[in-house]
Amino acid sequence: MDFNLALVIVVITILGIGLDGCHSKVVQFIFGDSLSDVGNNMHLSRSLAQASLPWYGIDMGNGLPNGRFTNGRTVADIIGDRTGLPRPPAFLDPSVSEEVILENGVNYASGGGGILNETGAYFIQKFSLDKQIELFQGTQELIRGKIGKRAADKFFKEGRYVVALGSNDFINNYLMPVYRDSWTYNDDTFMDYLIGTLERQLKLLHSLGARQLVVFGLGPMGCIPLQRVLSTTGNCREKANKLALTFNKAVSELVDDLGKHFPDSTYRFGDAYDVVYDVISNPNKYGFQNSDSPCCSFWNIRPALTCVPASSLCKDRSKYVFWDEYHPTDSANELIADELIKKFGLLNSDQGGAPSPAPDVAPSPEDQ
């Protein structure tokens, strides 16, 4: 064999081993619901929880639907951008490969998903948190096959983990009489069931390597437009808000306990309830003009449930807190993300806080 060719082969082999053994890119693994979904449900053909039609995504990229249940970015998008982490693609994105995972991580979030497997059953297809963790385990096997067990274990332990679910367990389960949980449990026993399930899931994630983990609490879900329009007064539904506060308190205590139980880990609880409630109560204080109805609605027919091509859009999307009956606008998501970063120190001192590029706002259809 030619000496130069042999030398090249040796060098490539050494470099290959070095790359596999020393992979140090820090990426995110996101587990969540429609507030974090970046396209998984678009690939679930039978799912009724969809953001696959205009005008979802109108203010991001090419303005076409991309699977996000908003007009622009999610809170997770913005926090990742601000903290210098790549945006992880949806697990079901056809472009996802071992190389993509190693460079960007994975987002398993699914619209309609919850902590409980039975949550959102009427959406037909969705990923519950148990299913998302199962998919993550498959991802781990894939990466182990690519770079070896030792390097893969290091890669996953250095990753950043986000768990952001819970609202569907109330809005699309316990608070809806069509679900068995609504008449099987009372407020206290349902909360015990929900938190007990989440504890098991967080412990499982730790056993799978999650060492840097943030669990996000719920916002004032009784104040989303859907809950308001279903009330007799048009005001926030206090029962739903009280459940959110109880959930947040219980999860905060759970995360603290797990942090003590796992001294090798950093577990944080992200609570934006107060700031979101203040934005909804005092929109003008934050530059908004509307905080009680969706920007995208089916003219005067409420609730619209989803945004469709026949929907009408508000004149200025940056002035609305809510995009549709459930989800915040890009502007509201940016405010929430910045508050979480500031409040919980998610921006490390060695990170420059790269800006999250705000989307170019497209004209409303009626202005075109």
Side-chain angles (χ1 to χ4, degrees), residues 127-350:
F127 293 153
S128 66
L129 182 52
D130 276 338
K131 182 62 178 180
Q132 293 178 39
I133 295 173
E134 178 186 324
L135 297 174
F136 173 63
Q137 289 175 292
T139 298
Q140 290 190 310
E141 288 300 316
L142 196 67
I143 297 303
R144 289 191 192 104
K146 177 70 174 179
I147 65 176
K149 184 180 186 303
R150 181 181 296 180
D153 288 349
K154 181 176 184 288
F155 170 70
F156 287 111
K157 285 183 177 179
E158 291 178 347
R160 301 294 185 265
Y161 295 79
V162 175
V163 176
L165 302 93
S167 61
N168 284 318
D169 294 291
F170 297 100
I171 294 173
N172 289 303
N173 185 356
Y174 180 64
L175 293 175
M176 290 186 67
V178 294
Y179 285 92
R180 182 177 179 179
D181 286 352
S182 69
W183 41 268
T184 302
Y185 300 96
N186 60 36
D187 290 359
D188 293 335
T189 57
F190 181 74
M191 196 67 67
D192 289 342
Y193 171 40
L194 188 61
I195 299 301
T197 303
L198 181 60
E199 179 179 8
R200 171 182 60 78
Q201 292 162 333
L202 294 179
K203 286 181 176 178
L204 176 57
L205 280 174
H206 181 272
S207 74
L208 297 173
R211 297 296 182 267
Q212 303 285 331
L213 184 145
V214 175
V215 182
F216 288 117
L218 304 182
M221 58 189 180
C223 295
I224 65 173
L226 176 67
Q227 292 294 302
R228 282 181 182 266
V229 78
L230 292 177
S231 72
T232 57
T233 63
N235 296 324
C236 298
R237 301 182 78 177
E238 288 308 312
K239 178 179 174 65
N241 282 350
K242 287 178 181 177
L243 287 169
L245 288 169
T246 302
F247 175 87
N248 287 352
K249 183 176 184 294
V251 175
S252 177
E253 292 172 353
L254 171 60
V255 170
D256 285 345
D257 289 343
L258 290 176
K260 295 172 185 174
H261 187 68
F262 299 127
D264 63 337
S265 303
T266 301
Y267 282 13
R268 297 173 178 172
F269 176 67
D271 185 2
Y273 183 99
D274 290 344
V275 67
V276 176
Y277 188 81
D278 195 40
V279 170
I280 292 171
S281 302
N282 305 288
N284 293 337
K285 174 181 171 184
Y286 296 89
F288 295 100
Q289 295 174 355
N290 186 300
S291 63
D292 59 10
S293 57
C295 173
C296 184
S297 62
F298 198 70
W299 305 96
N300 293 324
I301 300 174
R302 300 281 307 280
L305 298 183
T306 188
C307 188
V308 296
S311 299
S312 61
L313 301 186
C314 59
K315 289 290 186 180
D316 188 347
R317 296 184 283 280
S318 69
K319 301 300 182 183
Y320 272 64
V321 173
F322 290 99
W323 167 246
D324 60 15
E325 299 281 6
Y326 297 90
H327 308 98
T329 58
D330 176 271
S331 296
N333 281 336
E334 183 169 35
L335 187 149
I336 295 166
D338 287 344
E339 177 66 18
L340 286 168
I341 290 170
K342 178 177 67 176
K343 190 172 182 181
F344 300 101
L346 297 179
L347 188 63
N348 297 327
S349 59
D350 59 342

